[in-house]
Amino acid sequence: MINNPNLISFIQQLEQALMNKHFVKLSLGNYKGAEDNLKNIYIKPVLIKKTEKLSFTYRYKTKDIAKNYDLDEGVSLIADYLQNGFRIATLFTSQEEIIGEYNNKYLFKVRSKALDKNLAANLSHDKEKKRKIAEKSNYLHALGLTDKDGNVFKNAQDKYKQINHFIDILQSLTKDLPDKSIEKVVDMGSGKGYLTFALYDYLKHNYNNAIDVKGVEFRKDLVDLCNQIAFETSFDGLKFTEGSIQDFDQAQIDLLIALHACDTATDDAIYKGIKSNANLIVVAPCCHKQIRRQIEKHKPDEHIQFLTQYGIFLERQAEMVTDGIRTLILEYFGYKTKVLEFVSDAHTPKNVLIIGIKKKDRDMKSKEGILQKIKEAKSFFGIEYHYLEKLLEFHH
Ligand SMILES: C[S@@+](CC[C@H](N)C(=O)[O-])C[C@H]1O[C@@H](n2cnc3c(N)ncnc32)[C@H](O)[C@@H]1O
């Protein structure tokens, strides 16, 4: 129940914008509430199974969490957040910017201004243009996820959700990058190409017309199938190449993805990304045998044997240690890292996404510190070497 008239008026303007389809985005900021490390919430409209929802991205100090809500639920959450910790809300409709803000005396004040013509045009253009994957896309039908009318098959719902979630994440990662910074994209271990097609479709329509996306895959049957579908759907800038990640050579890679490439194939992919100075590296690792074998062989510090003597614990340890060292190595090479949940762990335990975003300034001082952390982690867990270190030749 809101009893602040200005807040009521702000929320009504939000509801009005949603109703008239003028809503573009809303951000909540200047957080003074109790939740640790929460900084902002960014809210935008999304279409999920033909239903409009609000997608909330909760920005914490070191991670982002995305959640979707029905419109009513989303609006009441926004009202709630503005009464519990957030002190400013900026609402963009396709015509105006409306700011609701608490002043020093904790009075909620609302001000608005009409957008200048260019911004208004840009925002309404964005609104139309920023689509996720369209269910009616031919490639989804060709890949066997939808029928010819665009209805997603029952047994393809999970895959469809995963693709949408992946594109959501990519959208939040690429939205602040200039258009030209993502031209050459490589998907290492592209498999049947679901995510490669969706990524191409998304980038092509939302960011960059000259996009060039390559899938690298050692199964010839899958490469042929994907190239055939790319041809049939006129996805001219999308090509699939038969071969191994290790042998793939391309000087310019701006965005590198590798989703569920087995064991050290993820390291081979990260290596290629680092070597080509990619702006963005996004990997979802799968099986962590190399480090697991080393932990088993060299026996770690006796203090953590209670965590390594059981198969399941060892498996999870190996996963975290492998991926933890991967993030340290990315940081060493000048990447800011994030770790997110890729798909719900109800579907697969391999649900972690490691993201490296190239930083502009290299902090040389912290490099020594990172090396030290890697060294200590290896000694603690009884690891002789991490495969990615060997590839990058800085194993010590
Ligand atoms: C589990 S599938 C994942 C496919 C796709 N990335 C996805 O997430 O839907 C892994 C794919 O990577 C391919 N792969 C694994 N290691 C590879 C390597 N070293 N070089 C090329 N392809 C590889 C496999 O053939 C397989 O098709």
Side-chain angles (χ1 to χ4, degrees), residues 227-244:
N227 276 331
Q228 180 63 29
I229 296 174
F231 174 74
E232 283 164 7
T233 48
S234 304
F235 278 10
D236 301 335
L238 175 63
K239 299 270 172 324
F240 293 82
T241 306
E242 185 190 342
S244 74

Side-chain angles (χ1 to χ4, degrees), residues 14-78:
L14 167 64
E15 287 172 328
Q16 196 73 32
L18 283 165
M19 217 161 63
N20 300 340
K21 313 256 183 248
H22 289 158
F23 175 75
V24 177
K25 58 185 176 180
L26 184 146
S27 64
L28 296 170
N30 196 6
Y31 183 63
K32 305 280 184 214
E35 199 167 337
D36 273 353
N37 294 325
L38 180 57
K39 287 173 154 310
N40 304 87
I41 305 178
Y42 293 99
I43 297 140
K44 58 188 188 312
V46 284
L47 208 54
I48 295 176
K49 288 196 210 141
K50 300 180 185 157
T51 309
E52 268 199 62
K53 305 240 176 204
L54 288 175
S55 157
F56 283 48
T57 301
Y58 296 81
R59 288 255 158 100
Y60 290 84
K61 204 165 160 202
T62 55
K63 62 177 181 186
D64 290 351
I65 294 178
K67 288 187 182 154
N68 298 327
Y69 298 102
D70 290 337
L71 299 188
D72 287 354
E73 203 183 354
V75 171
S76 15
L77 274 174
I78 292 166

